[in-house]
Structures are given as structure tokens and as C-alpha cells.
Amino acid sequence: GFLGAGLILLGLISGAIFSWWFSRELRRLREYAFNVSQGQRAILTPGLIHSGELGQLAKALESMRNQLDGKAYIEQYVQTLTHELKSPLAGIRAASELLQSPMSEPQQQKFLANIESESLRLQQLIERLLNLALVEQQQSLQAPQNILLKPLIESLLDTRAARTARQHIQLQLTLDENAEVYGEKFLIEQALLNLLDNALDFTPTGGRIQIITRRTDKVWTIAVINQGEAVPDFALPRLTERFFSLPRPDTGR
């Protein structure tokens, strides 16, 4: 009698434990699927689900999420690319049509210069969008390392040397030799280039750009400070919005 009661009790306890475990795993799968359906970035923690059937279901959900993410990204990327390329292509087409008409040599040179500048703009747009695609599709750091900031910033400034000279920009650098950051070089370069390009876009001819590295509370801070109009209040909430920009002072774009 006692043996039978013990077996029944053991069976009830085992059933309760299994039921709790199974409910927990199903709840995690349900939450994961719900987050995916809401368009949120959901992560299915590995090693939580051990049974064959649930493991296969988890992998199927993970595969579905990756495919949906990829499809949505491609659609958004193509729409963005199409929108961004319309303006310079229209400028090139208009200039080429005008060049087919009789005009003076100074006028021809003007429209040829327009074609060249718009072609350069197209190239820059494509390069930026390709870099953005690499950044946005990356799910984790590929090769993080300690990066010295001074030589990195100086090398990035070299890539913008012609533009800096053309705009007669004065550079004031206060870069600590020991300043460093731990991260992926490509991503750090993209972040700093974005800051530098924005500073150049909105600094008037003959203006000044300061780049400073300083250590505060065991953290290295990079400051890029330019002369120019401050960001207006209405634009502040949109600073992190993809491709949002105020008109450039020199072109109005």
C-alpha cells in the first residue's frame, strides 16, 4: 500500500514538474512569436528548449523571423535608394538636355560642372547607403578591439582634406595620445565620419571645427564642435530619424 501510494505521489510530482517546464517553454515561445509579430527585435535564448519538437518549433520561428526581417529590410532599402537617387539623376538629365542646345562655352562649362557634381553626389549616396546596409544588417560585433582614437581621427580627416581646404575650414584638434575605445573599427569610423560630414555641411566657409577627446569618470568622450546655426527646437526630436536633415546652408538641400 505504501509503495503504491509512493509511486502515485512520485508520478504526480513528476507530472507537475513536467507540466511546469512545458508551460514555461511554451510561454517563452509565445512571447518570442508575439514580439516578432509586433516588429520588435526578439532574441530566442539558446539552450532553453531541450525537447526535439519544441526545439524544431523554435528553429522554425527563428528562421521565419530572419526571412521576414530580410524581406522587410530589402523593401525598405530599395524604397530609400530610389527616393535618394531621384534628385541627382534629375539634375544630370536636365543638364544633359540643355547641353544639346546651342550655348556659349561658359554656359557649357557650367552645366558640365553640374553633371560632375551630381555624379559625385550619386557616388557618395550609394557609398553611404551601402555602408548603412552593412551597419543595419549586422546583428553583433564581428571583431571588436581596442582602437586608439588619435590616429583614427587623423586618418579620417585626411579623407576629407580636399573638402576642408576648399571650404577654408580651420581645424583645432585636442587629441589625447592615450584616448581609446573598445569596439569594431568599421562602425566607429562610420559614426565619426557622420559627425565630421555633418560638421562640414553646416560650417560656413572660413569657419572652425574643433575635435576634442577627453577623459571623464573613466570614460573617453569625443566632441565634434562646429561653427554655424544651432539645431532648431523643432528638429531636436528628429535627430535620430533615418535620413532626416535640415537644408544645407550652401545648397539648400
Side-chain angles (χ1 to χ4, degrees), residues 1 16 34 37 41 59 67 88 92 96 115 138 143 185 240 246:
F34 178 76
S37 70
R41 173 167 293 188
K59 290 178 181 178
Q67 292 182 25
I92 291 173
S96 63
I115 290 176
Q138 188 168 319
K185 188 177 180 182
T240 58
L246 295 171

Side-chain angles (χ1 to χ4, degrees), residues 151-194:
L152 178 63
I153 292 172
E154 289 174 344
S155 69
L156 296 179
L157 287 172
D158 286 341
T159 68
R160 301 298 189 265
R163 186 177 176 189
T164 303
R166 187 169 62 250
Q167 294 179 228
H168 304 288
I169 300 295
Q170 303 172 27
L171 293 174
Q172 292 186 355
L173 307 180
T174 308
L175 306 176
D176 193 296
E177 295 281 351
N178 299 314
E180 67 176 10
V181 64
Y182 181 75
E184 189 165 332
K185 188 177 180 182
F186 170 75
L187 299 179
I188 300 298
E189 285 178 342
Q190 290 305 306
L192 291 176
L193 276 176
N194 283 341

Side-chain angles (χ1 to χ4, degrees), residues 95-191:
S96 63
E97 288 176 352
L98 289 170
L99 282 170
Q100 297 177 35
S101 305
M103 63 179 63
S104 65
E105 185 174 346
Q107 287 179 313
Q108 287 182 341
Q109 293 301 319
K110 176 184 176 182
F111 290 120
L112 287 172
N114 287 344
I115 290 176
E116 182 179 2
S117 64
E118 291 300 305
S119 299
L120 178 61
R121 185 178 170 211
L122 274 176
Q123 180 181 347
Q124 291 173 341
L125 279 171
I126 291 171
E127 288 175 354
R128 287 190 180 187
L129 285 168
L130 288 175
N131 287 337
L132 180 64
L134 289 173
V135 171
E136 292 190 338
Q137 286 291 82
Q138 188 168 319
Q139 298 296 317
S140 60
L141 297 181
Q142 303 298 317
Q145 58 182 305
N146 288 317
I147 304 166
L148 287 173
L149 290 173
K150 186 174 186 292
L152 178 63
I153 292 172
E154 289 174 344
S155 69
L156 296 179
L157 287 172
D158 286 341
T159 68
R160 301 298 189 265
R163 186 177 176 189
T164 303
R166 187 169 62 250
Q167 294 179 228
H168 304 288
I169 300 295
Q170 303 172 27
L171 293 174
Q172 292 186 355
L173 307 180
T174 308
L175 306 176
D176 193 296
E177 295 281 351
N178 299 314
E180 67 176 10
V181 64
Y182 181 75
E184 189 165 332
K185 188 177 180 182
F186 170 75
L187 299 179
I188 300 298
E189 285 178 342
Q190 290 305 306

Side-chain angles (χ1 to χ4, degrees), residues 32 54-67:
Y32 176 79
L54 284 179
Q56 291 175 10
L57 178 57
K59 290 178 181 178
L61 284 172
E62 181 78 11
S63 175
M64 179 187 70
R65 189 208 70 168
N66 290 334
Q67 292 182 25

Side-chain angles (χ1 to χ4, degrees), residues 3 20 28-29 56 78 86 135 147 153 160-161 227:
L3 180 60
W20 169 81
R28 286 174 172 161
L29 278 175
Q56 291 175 10
V78 170
K86 278 183 180 179
V135 171
I147 304 166
I153 292 172
R160 301 298 189 265
Q227 290 180 322

